[in-house]
């Protein structure tokens, strides 16, 4: 439940700031703001200078979720991240004000396990397009400024995702490594030998 800043030159502690709960993903830092996402559905903006809390954005989280969180991604003046509710949000970097919110997938099923839709994969941004994916849900591409969905594919993941010039890559919940076209979402290839 703490964010700790160390001096890069000699490692001495500059400041310690309490956050609301355990943080499982690295913080994101830009423009003098350190953004920490905790497992209780809170996103906290701290001053990089002294660790003082600048803002806090809160989401109501489901009673059961995977043990993990997405790492926030900062694009220009917006913080983009996903939550255990299956939603991805954009908040203003300096104020924490909500810019937009969008479901990556909707919970479905008869019990809490079937309704898990955590967005634990850190979003990937390529040329102003945000790619987000959820467990038991979808991989979506959306305009990072407006939140408008460009395409979506049914896929379930809770681990890493990355991209290069033409493809986005992820590992699904069964261990298959998959590549999708960045522009259309079309399947490029699937490697099943690492399942």
């Amino acid at each position: 439940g703490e964010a700790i800043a160390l001096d890069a030159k000699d490692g001495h502690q500059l400041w310690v700031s309490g956050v609301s709960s355990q943080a499982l993903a690295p913080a994101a830092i830009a423009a003098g703001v350190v953004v920490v996402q905790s497992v209780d559905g809170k996103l906290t903006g701290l001053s990089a200078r002294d660790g003082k809390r600048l803002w806090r954005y809160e989401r109501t989280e489901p009673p059961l979720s995977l043990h993990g969180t997405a790492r926030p991604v900062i694009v220009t003046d917006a913080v983009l991240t996903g939550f255990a509710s299956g939603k991805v949000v954009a908040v203003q970097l300096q104020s924490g004000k909500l810019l937009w919110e969008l479901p990556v997938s909707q919970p479905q099923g008869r019990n809490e396990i079937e309704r898990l839709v955590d967005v634990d994969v850190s979003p990937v941004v390529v040329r102003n397009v945000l790619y987000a994916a959820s467990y038991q849900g979808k991989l979506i591409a959306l305009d990072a400024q407006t939140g408008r969905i460009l395409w979506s594919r049914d896929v379930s993941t809770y681990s890493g995702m990355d991209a290069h010039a033409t493809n986005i890559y992820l590992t699904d919940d069964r261990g298959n490594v998959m590549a999708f076209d960045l522009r259309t979402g079309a399947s490029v290839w699937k490697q099943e030998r690492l399942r």
Side-chain angles (χ1 to χ4, degrees):
E2 292 180 329
I4 301 167
L6 305 177
D7 187 288
K9 293 177 187 146
D10 62 15
H12 82 273
Q13 185 173 297
L14 298 172
W15 52 259
V16 176
S17 184
V19 292
S20 60
S21 183
Q22 183 181 31
L24 298 175
I29 305 164
V33 181
V34 177
V35 182
V36 179
Q37 183 163 350
S38 47
V39 296
D40 59 356
K42 293 180 174 68
L43 195 62
T44 305
L46 305 170
S47 167
R49 186 173 47 81
D50 59 11
K52 185 184 293 186
R53 189 171 93 188
L54 303 172
W55 52 263
R56 178 169 285 154
Y57 174 78
E58 299 183 32
R59 292 250 352 119
T60 302
E61 295 290 79
L64 183 64
S65 68
L66 298 177
H67 188 63
T69 59
R71 178 183 186 180
V73 173
I74 299 173
V75 178
T76 316
D77 62 346
V79 180
L80 309 165
T81 194
F83 289 93
S85 61
K87 294 186 177 176
V88 66
V89 302
V91 300
Q92 200 171 54
L93 177 61
Q94 296 299 325
S95 69
K97 177 185 170 203
L98 180 66
L99 299 172
W100 53 260
E101 174 183 87
L102 189 77
V104 175
S105 68
Q106 298 288 342
Q108 298 176 7
R110 290 175 282 183
N111 60 52
E112 294 299 325
I113 293 175
E114 290 176 353
R115 289 191 290 271
L116 290 172
V117 290
D118 297 48
V119 179
D120 281 353
V121 177
S122 297
V124 173
V125 178
V126 180
R127 294 183 296 277
N128 208 38
V129 176
L130 171 79
Y131 300 89
S134 70
Y135 179 67
Q136 299 186 141
K138 296 182 180 294
L139 165 64
I140 64 169
L142 53 101
D143 184 298
Q145 297 296 318
T146 66
R148 183 178 62 87
I149 294 181
L150 304 173
W151 56 260
S152 72
R153 291 289 308 254
D154 290 334
V155 66
S156 175
T157 187
Y158 54 85
S159 60
M161 182 169 64
D162 208 346
H164 83 305
T166 59
N167 295 338
I168 187 146
Y169 306 95
L170 62 81
T171 303
D172 72 8
D173 60 357
R174 295 179 183 188
N176 299 308
V177 183
M178 307 166 85
F180 298 94
D181 184 276
L182 285 174
R183 291 171 290 119
T184 65
S187 179
V188 177
W189 53 258
K190 179 178 182 179
Q191 173 56 266
E192 299 178 343
R193 298 179 82 186
L194 302 172
R195 289 178 78 165

